[in-house]
Amino acid sequence: MSQSAEAFLQILSAPRVGPASAKKLHAWAHENRLSMREAVDSSGALVAALGVRKAEAVASMKSEIVRQLEKQAAQNVSMISIEDPEYPTQLKQRLGKDAPLVITFRGNIELFDVSSVGFCGSRHVTDRGLQAASDSSREFTTSGVNIVSGYAAGVDTVAHRTALENGGTTTIVLAEGLNDFRVKKTFRDVWDWSRVLVVSEFLPWATWNAQSAMQRNYTIAGLSAAMILIEARPSSGSYAAGLAALEMGVPLFAADYRDEPESAEGNRSLIAKGARKLTRNAKTKRPLIDLVMQSVKNNTVFAELPGSEQLGLWAASHEDNLWQGSNAS
């Protein structure tokens, strides 16, 4: 646990003191050639940067933070800040000023630095969607790509589990704090902490809420060289995750269905907005991931969304097959 991360945690935990104040103190400390630990420990620095009331609130949290850090250590939970060399460079570059100031994690930190593809999709996914998620996750896993997703039911669970049961790795990005994280029963027979990284950008004791889930989508996209959308209803969290990827310039690939299920109505909308179609080979039934792997290899960040003329380059060829039932020919 770095001293910088401890300092950020202390200020972020203080009542009525949030990320904006933490960034303000961070900038003040940098200008005055102080570390965050030195700034948080100095009443004069806190008052100069934040004012008396917020300075007192931050100082009052010191003993509570010590208690929380002891609890985290007992659970093998660690923390890094945006100042630390271990912080994922890609996340910092893609999110810029909105990058999480602190990341709490448990598991294999080396997965921050490997090629990754993100998955998003409905909790109430159809059987076709489950098959698409499983097939796609398997293809990437056997190609040596790490799978990133959000640990929700449905698509997330299938993507994570498929990676692990095929000997691959996976990164779980939570929409709540890590204090109450538990390995779900679904994963117990394949779980391996050396092949898993669980991360959270929220305070360790934070509970799940919809706003955090939306914010978490940006972190999933930020850690991924490309995003795979399996099924999304318009205005759903999965649809928002797809929009987040497009907004950030992360290549988005949406499963393209024949006789589109209601749970995938958002897929076509996102394809119209710039997502590429994810299809499968008509003969082998295997997902066609060459274009995704090209994005992984180049880790491309597009400055702007492709126009309608460019979208034709990503359309399915005559050899491609839209996602259908398992017996489709």
Side-chain angles (χ1 to χ4, degrees):
M1 187 82 64
S2 73
Q3 291 189 344
S4 174
E6 293 178 14
F8 272 113
L9 180 62
Q10 183 174 334
I11 187 172
L12 290 169
S13 304
R16 295 178 296 280
V17 180
S21 294
K23 292 176 182 178
K24 187 176 181 180
L25 179 61
H26 186 212
W28 189 95
H30 181 74
E31 291 172 3
N32 289 272
R33 299 184 178 181
L34 294 176
S35 68
M36 277 298 288
R37 182 72 272 167
E38 291 170 329
V40 168
D41 286 342
S42 168
S43 58
L46 287 174
V47 171
L50 305 178
V52 174
R53 289 186 178 181
K54 289 186 177 181
E56 291 176 346
V58 172
S60 70
M61 293 301 299
K62 188 165 187 177
S63 59
E64 173 61 20
I65 293 306
V66 170
R67 189 180 72 83
Q68 286 293 334
L69 293 176
E70 290 174 350
K71 180 178 180 180
Q72 289 186 43
Q75 297 175 334
N76 296 316
V77 173
S78 299
M79 184 178 294
I80 53 175
S81 84
I82 199 166
E83 286 191 338
D84 296 322
E86 299 87 356
Y87 191 96
T89 303
Q90 179 174 294
L91 187 63
K92 189 185 301 185
Q93 291 175 339
R94 283 194 163 141
L95 294 184
K97 61 182 179 59
D98 295 319
L101 296 173
V102 174
I103 295 176
T104 306
F105 70 92
R106 183 179 177 188
N108 187 353
I109 191 175
E110 293 181 3
L111 296 185
F112 276 138
D113 300 319
V114 302
S115 297
S116 300
V117 167
F119 273 72
C120 59
S122 173
R123 293 170 181 264
H124 307 292
V125 62
T126 64
D127 288 343
R128 281 188 289 171
L130 289 173
Q131 190 66 54
S134 177
D135 291 347
S136 300
S137 181
R138 184 180 301 108
E139 288 293 313
F140 292 120
T141 295
T142 56
S143 297
V145 177
N146 180 55
I147 302 300
V148 184
S149 198
Y151 208 52
V155 169
D156 293 8
T157 292
V158 170
H160 290 308
R161 180 176 171 85
T162 300
L164 291 174
E165 66 188 7
N166 284 277
T169 62
T170 194
T171 299
I172 292 170
V173 186
L174 301 177
E176 62 272 346
L178 248 171
N179 275 6
D180 295 324
F181 175 80
R182 298 293 183 273
V183 177
K184 294 179 182 178
K185 185 177 181 180
T186 309
F187 295 100
R188 288 176 188 167
D189 62 325
V190 294
W191 195 267
D192 178 354
W193 276 111
S194 70
R195 296 188 289 119
V196 176
L197 176 62
V198 182
V199 304
S200 173
E201 63 198 90
F202 304 102
L203 293 173
W205 51 87
T207 56
W208 187 97
N209 63 65
Q211 182 177 354
S212 296
M214 293 296 185
Q215 182 176 331
R216 178 268 312 272
N217 290 337
Y218 286 87
T219 299
I220 292 175
L223 290 171
S224 305
M227 284 288 291
I228 305 299
L229 175 74
I230 298 298
E231 287 183 6
R233 298 173 185 268
S235 303
S236 67
S238 299
Y239 187 84
L243 287 176
L246 292 176
E247 178 186 337
M248 295 168 62
V250 178
L252 175 66
F253 295 81
D256 195 23
Y257 294 89
R258 181 172 294 162
D259 301 323
E260 181 181 89
E262 183 179 346
S263 57
E265 289 178 353
N267 291 38
R268 192 158 300 280
S269 173
L270 287 167
I271 289 171
K273 292 179 183 295
R276 289 78 166 163
K277 295 179 181 180
L278 178 67
T279 58
R280 63 180 180 176
N281 184 281
K283 294 181 180 179
T284 67
K285 310 300 186 213
R286 294 174 62 178
L288 296 169
I289 66 167
D290 287 353
L291 290 175
V292 187
M293 290 302 296
Q294 183 179 352
S295 296
V296 171
K297 180 180 178 180
N298 298 331
N299 206 5
T300 308
V301 179
F302 291 94
E304 56 186 45
L305 300 182
S308 57
E309 302 84 0
Q310 294 170 283
L311 287 176
L313 297 174
W314 304 93
S317 74
H318 68 281
E319 293 183 346
D320 300 346
N321 190 37
L322 304 185
W323 292 103
Q324 310 173 69
S326 58
N327 296 322
S329 60

